[in-house]
CSV table of all heavy atoms in Angstrom, one decimal:
chain,number,residue,atom,x,y,z
A,230,LYS,N,30.4,47.9,-29.1
A,230,LYS,CA,31.0,47.1,-28.0
A,230,LYS,C,31.6,48.0,-26.9
A,230,LYS,O,31.6,47.5,-25.7
A,230,LYS,CB,32.1,46.2,-28.6
A,230,LYS,CG,31.6,45.1,-29.5
A,230,LYS,CD,32.6,44.3,-30.2
A,230,LYS,CE,32.0,43.2,-31.0
A,230,LYS,NZ,32.9,42.5,-31.9
A,231,ILE,N,32.0,49.2,-27.2
A,231,ILE,CA,32.4,50.0,-26.2
A,231,ILE,C,31.3,50.7,-25.4
A,231,ILE,O,31.4,50.9,-24.2
A,231,ILE,CB,33.3,51.2,-26.8
A,231,ILE,CG1,34.6,50.6,-27.4
A,231,ILE,CG2,33.6,52.3,-25.8
A,231,ILE,CD1,35.4,51.6,-28.3
A,232,THR,N,30.3,51.1,-26.1
A,232,THR,CA,29.2,51.9,-25.4
A,232,THR,C,27.9,51.1,-25.2
A,232,THR,O,27.0,51.6,-24.4
A,232,THR,CB,28.8,53.1,-26.4
A,232,THR,OG1,28.3,52.6,-27.6
A,232,THR,CG2,30.1,53.8,-26.7
A,233,GLY,N,27.7,50.0,-25.9
A,233,GLY,CA,26.4,49.3,-25.8
A,233,GLY,C,25.4,49.8,-26.7
A,233,GLY,O,24.3,49.2,-26.8
A,234,ALA,N,25.7,50.8,-27.6
A,234,ALA,CA,24.7,51.4,-28.5
A,234,ALA,C,24.5,50.5,-29.6
A,234,ALA,O,25.4,49.9,-30.2
A,234,ALA,CB,25.2,52.8,-29.0
A,235,GLU,N,23.2,50.4,-30.2
A,235,GLU,CA,22.9,49.7,-31.4
A,235,GLU,C,23.3,50.5,-32.5
A,235,GLU,O,23.6,51.7,-32.4
A,235,GLU,CB,21.4,49.4,-31.4
A,235,GLU,CG,20.9,48.5,-30.3
A,235,GLU,CD,21.5,47.1,-30.4
A,235,GLU,OE1,21.7,46.6,-31.5
A,235,GLU,OE2,21.7,46.5,-29.4
A,236,ALA,N,23.4,49.9,-33.8
A,236,ALA,CA,23.9,50.5,-34.9
A,236,ALA,C,23.3,51.9,-35.2
A,236,ALA,O,24.0,52.9,-35.5
A,236,ALA,CB,23.7,49.7,-36.1
A,237,GLY,N,22.0,52.0,-35.0
A,237,GLY,CA,21.3,53.3,-35.4
A,237,GLY,C,21.6,54.4,-34.3
A,237,GLY,O,21.1,55.6,-34.6
A,238,ASP,N,22.1,54.1,-33.2
A,238,ASP,CA,22.3,55.0,-32.1
A,238,ASP,C,23.8,55.3,-31.9
A,238,ASP,O,24.2,55.8,-30.8
A,238,ASP,CB,21.8,54.4,-30.8
A,238,ASP,CG,20.2,54.4,-30.9
A,238,ASP,OD1,19.6,55.2,-31.5
A,238,ASP,OD2,19.7,53.4,-30.3
A,239,ARG,N,24.6,55.1,-32.9
A,239,ARG,CA,26.0,55.3,-32.7
A,239,ARG,C,26.6,56.6,-33.3
A,239,ARG,O,27.9,56.7,-33.5
A,239,ARG,CB,26.8,54.1,-33.4
A,239,ARG,CG,26.5,52.7,-32.6
A,239,ARG,CD,27.1,51.6,-33.3
A,239,ARG,NE,26.7,50.3,-32.8
A,239,ARG,CZ,26.8,49.1,-33.3
A,239,ARG,NH1,27.3,49.0,-34.5
A,239,ARG,NH2,26.3,48.0,-32.6
A,240,LEU,N,25.8,57.5,-33.6
A,240,LEU,CA,26.3,58.8,-34.2
A,240,LEU,C,27.3,59.5,-33.4
A,240,LEU,O,28.3,59.8,-33.8
A,240,LEU,CB,25.1,59.7,-34.6
A,240,LEU,CG,25.5,61.1,-35.1
A,240,LEU,CD1,26.4,60.9,-36.4
A,240,LEU,CD2,24.3,61.9,-35.4
A,241,PRO,N,27.0,59.7,-32.0
A,241,PRO,CA,28.1,60.4,-31.2
A,241,PRO,C,29.4,59.6,-31.2
A,241,PRO,O,30.5,60.3,-31.4
A,241,PRO,CB,27.4,60.3,-29.8
A,241,PRO,CG,25.9,60.3,-30.0
A,241,PRO,CD,25.8,59.4,-31.3
A,242,GLY,N,29.4,58.3,-31.1
A,242,GLY,CA,30.7,57.6,-31.2
A,242,GLY,C,31.3,57.6,-32.5
A,242,GLY,O,32.5,57.7,-32.6
A,243,SER,N,30.5,57.7,-33.6
A,243,SER,CA,31.0,57.8,-34.9
A,243,SER,C,31.7,59.2,-35.1
A,243,SER,O,32.7,59.2,-35.7
A,243,SER,CB,29.9,57.7,-36.0
A,243,SER,OG,29.3,56.4,-35.9
A,244,LEU,N,31.0,60.2,-34.6
A,244,LEU,CA,31.7,61.5,-34.7
A,244,LEU,C,33.0,61.6,-33.9
A,244,LEU,O,34.0,62.2,-34.4
A,244,LEU,CB,30.7,62.6,-34.3
A,244,LEU,CG,29.4,62.7,-35.1
A,244,LEU,CD1,28.5,63.8,-34.4
A,244,LEU,CD2,29.7,63.1,-36.5
A,245,ALA,N,33.0,61.0,-32.8
A,245,ALA,CA,34.2,61.0,-32.0
A,245,ALA,C,35.3,60.3,-32.7
A,245,ALA,O,36.5,60.9,-32.8
A,245,ALA,CB,34.0,60.4,-30.6
A,246,GLY,N,35.1,59.1,-33.3
A,246,GLY,CA,36.1,58.4,-34.0
A,246,GLY,C,36.6,59.2,-35.2
A,246,GLY,O,37.7,59.2,-35.5
A,247,MET,N,35.6,59.8,-35.9
A,247,MET,CA,36.0,60.6,-37.2
A,247,MET,C,36.9,61.8,-36.8
A,247,MET,O,37.9,62.0,-37.5
A,247,MET,CB,34.7,61.1,-37.9
A,247,MET,CG,35.0,61.9,-39.1
A,247,MET,SD,33.5,62.7,-39.8
A,247,MET,CE,33.3,64.0,-38.5
A,248,LEU,N,36.5,62.5,-35.8
A,248,LEU,CA,37.3,63.7,-35.4
A,248,LEU,C,38.7,63.3,-34.9
A,248,LEU,O,39.7,64.0,-35.2
A,248,LEU,CB,36.6,64.5,-34.4
A,248,LEU,CG,35.3,65.2,-34.9
A,248,LEU,CD1,34.5,65.9,-33.8
A,248,LEU,CD2,35.6,66.1,-36.1
A,249,HIS,N,38.8,62.2,-34.2
A,249,HIS,CA,40.1,61.7,-33.7
A,249,HIS,C,40.9,61.4,-35.0
A,249,HIS,O,42.1,61.7,-35.0
A,249,HIS,CB,40.0,60.5,-32.8
A,249,HIS,CG,41.3,59.8,-32.5
A,249,HIS,ND1,42.0,60.3,-31.4
A,249,HIS,CD2,42.0,58.9,-33.1
A,249,HIS,CE1,43.1,59.5,-31.3
A,249,HIS,NE2,43.1,58.7,-32.4
A,250,ALA,N,40.3,60.7,-35.9
A,250,ALA,CA,41.0,60.3,-37.2
A,250,ALA,C,41.5,61.6,-37.9
A,250,ALA,O,42.6,61.6,-38.5
A,250,ALA,CB,40.2,59.4,-38.0
Side-chain angles (χ1 to χ4, degrees):
K230 290 175 182 176
I231 293 169
T232 66
E235 296 298 325
D238 295 322
R239 293 174 188 165
L240 178 57
S243 300
L244 295 176
M247 180 192 71
L248 294 177
H249 175 87

